[in-house]
Amino acid sequence: MPRTRQTAAFALITVAALSLTACGSGDPAAAPAGAGAAVKGRTPTTDVVSSVERDDGAAKLLPEKVRASGTLSLASSVGAPPGAFYEEDGRTLAGADIDFADAVARKLGLKLKREVASFEAILPALGSGKYDVGTGNFGVTEERRGTIDFVTYINDGQGFAVRDDSDLKKVTDLTQLCGLTVGTGAGTTFEATLEENRHRCADEGRKPYEVKTYADQAAVWISLQQGRSDVLMSTINGLRYAVTQQEGLRFLNEFKRLDVGFAFKKGTPLAPAFQAAVNALKADGTYDRILKKWGTAESAIRTSQISPPEIK
C-alpha cells in the first residue's frame, strides 16, 4: 500500500489492518466531544480558519523580503489525529497543526507553500535552509534549542497507552517498563527519553525494556494491537484521541508535559511575527475554536513564547 494511502486509512484510526470498529474506550481521560469537536468515528470538519483576518501589527514584524514575496515554505509532518493527517481521500490534510499553521499565515497575510516531510527529516532540513518553518508536534527540549528556534502554540507532551489486558495502571517511572516492549515513533522525544533511561533497569538488576521504533504512526498502533509492543509511548493528545477510536485500548496517563511550537532555523527573524500572530489568534478567539474543534482544550497556553526553557 502506498504511504499516502496507508496514512489516509489511518486518518480516522480505523485502518483495515486493525479490523476495528469505531468504539469509544470509556476512558475518562479521553478527549471531550463538543460542537464540532473530534468524536468517535468522525473527523471534525468545522471551518475555524477562513474567517481569520490579517493582523497588521504582527505582519509588520516580518522581514521585508518575506512581506514582499508573500510566501513561506512550510514542512509538515503528517501522522495521526488530532495533529496532522490525511483525510479519507488520501490527499486532503487536516488536523490541529494544519489549522494553526493556516490561521497564523492568514494573520500574517502570507501564503504557505506546504510540503509533507517525515518527522525526523524536518529539523535538519530547517537548518540547511530547505524550509522556512516546520510543524509536527515538535516539543521544546534543551537539546533541540541548541539548533532550533521555536514559537510555542500548544502544550502537549509524553504519555502511554496499552491494551485493555495490560497489568499496567500508570507509569510514573520508566523502570515500571522493565522487561516490556515499548513501541514509539522514530526520531521523537519519546525514543530519546526511552533510550536515555534504558540502563536504569539493568542498574537495578532487571531485564531492560526493548524499544521498537516506527517511522509510520499507523505501524506503531498496529504493533500494540498485534502484541508486538506491550505499551505505546506517544503524544498525550494523540493517545487520548486514538483510544476513543479503537476498541480494546486505554490511555494510561500523562508522563511529561512539553511546550510544542513552530520550528525554525536557529536565529530566524520570523519568530517575533509568528509569536505575535499566535497571540492575535488567542485574542480574537480563533485559538480556542481550534482547540475545541480537535478536543484538545487542555493543551492551551497562556501566551506564545520564543524558545522557552524545557519544562522539567
Side-chain angles (χ1 to χ4, degrees):
M1 180 183 291
R3 181 179 176 83
T4 55
R5 291 189 179 277
Q6 183 185 46
T7 309
F10 183 71
L12 296 179
I13 320 294
T14 54
V15 280
L18 294 177
S19 301
L20 297 176
T21 56
C23 294
S25 67
D27 190 291
V39 295
K40 177 173 61 180
R42 185 168 76 245
T43 302
T45 57
T46 308
D47 179 3
V48 291
V49 174
S50 65
S51 63
V52 174
E53 298 180 350
R54 173 188 163 109
D55 184 285
D56 289 338
K60 286 180 181 178
L61 297 175
L62 289 168
E64 184 177 348
K65 182 179 179 180
V66 175
R67 289 202 307 271
S69 69
T71 63
L72 281 180
S73 61
L74 167 72
S76 293
S77 172
V78 177
F85 60 98
Y86 286 104
E87 292 186 353
E88 289 181 305
D89 62 10
R91 297 182 302 274
T92 305
L93 289 172
D97 279 353
I98 305 302
D99 284 345
F100 273 119
D102 289 346
V104 165
R106 292 183 71 90
K107 277 294 180 192
L108 297 176
L110 298 175
K111 290 185 178 181
L112 297 176
K113 295 181 178 178
R114 180 181 275 113
E115 181 177 323
V116 173
S118 65
F119 178 92
E120 60 269 28
I122 291 178
L123 298 186
L126 292 172
S128 70
K130 183 177 182 179
Y131 306 111
D132 296 312
V133 57
T135 59
N137 208 279
F138 291 113
V140 181
T141 66
E142 291 307 315
E143 180 180 3
R144 287 175 174 169
R145 289 203 316 151
T147 57
I148 297 293
D149 278 340
F150 294 93
V151 173
T152 61
Y153 59 96
I154 61 169
N155 177 275
D156 195 351
Q158 304 173 341
F160 294 94
V162 293
R163 295 183 302 277
D164 280 343
D165 61 4
S166 174
D167 292 332
L168 282 174
K169 304 300 180 185
K170 189 175 184 179
V171 177
T172 57
D173 190 288
L174 293 180
T175 56
Q176 293 172 259
L177 304 176
C178 296
L180 301 179
T181 299
V182 188
T184 195
T188 60
T189 59
F190 320 115
E191 180 185 9
T193 297
L194 290 167
E195 292 295 352
E196 287 170 6
N197 289 275
R198 193 167 177 269
H199 68 90
R200 294 175 57 203
C201 293
D203 293 347
E204 295 183 5
R206 303 167 64 187
K207 181 181 178 181
Y209 52 74
E210 180 183 359
V211 181
K212 285 191 175 181
T213 60
Y214 302 87
D216 187 275
Q217 188 66 23
V220 181
W221 285 102
I222 292 171
S223 77
L224 182 63
Q225 285 283 359
Q226 295 183 347
R228 288 179 280 112
S229 295
D230 300 305
V231 57
L232 190 154
M233 189 177 190
S234 189
T235 65
I236 295 167
N237 288 339
L239 294 173
R240 281 180 166 162
Y241 186 102
V243 298
T244 68
Q245 307 297 305
Q246 301 184 65
E247 249 182 358
L249 302 180
R250 55 187 167 90
F251 175 76
L252 280 186
N253 61 286
E254 297 181 6
F255 183 71
K256 180 182 179 180
R257 278 278 174 177
L258 284 174
D259 287 317
V260 171
F262 294 101
F264 306 85
K265 180 179 180 179
K266 192 70 177 177
T268 179
L270 296 170
F274 268 70
Q275 179 188 35
V278 173
N279 287 330
L281 292 173
K282 288 186 67 68
D284 71 11
T286 301
Y287 182 90
D288 288 337
R289 286 190 287 273
I290 293 174
L291 293 183
K292 181 179 180 180
K293 173 181 177 179
W294 296 105
T296 55
E298 292 180 355
S299 283
I301 57 175
R302 283 188 181 180
T303 186
S304 178
Q305 301 180 75
I306 298 175
S307 299
E310 178 180 349
I311 297 174
K312 299 297 185 181

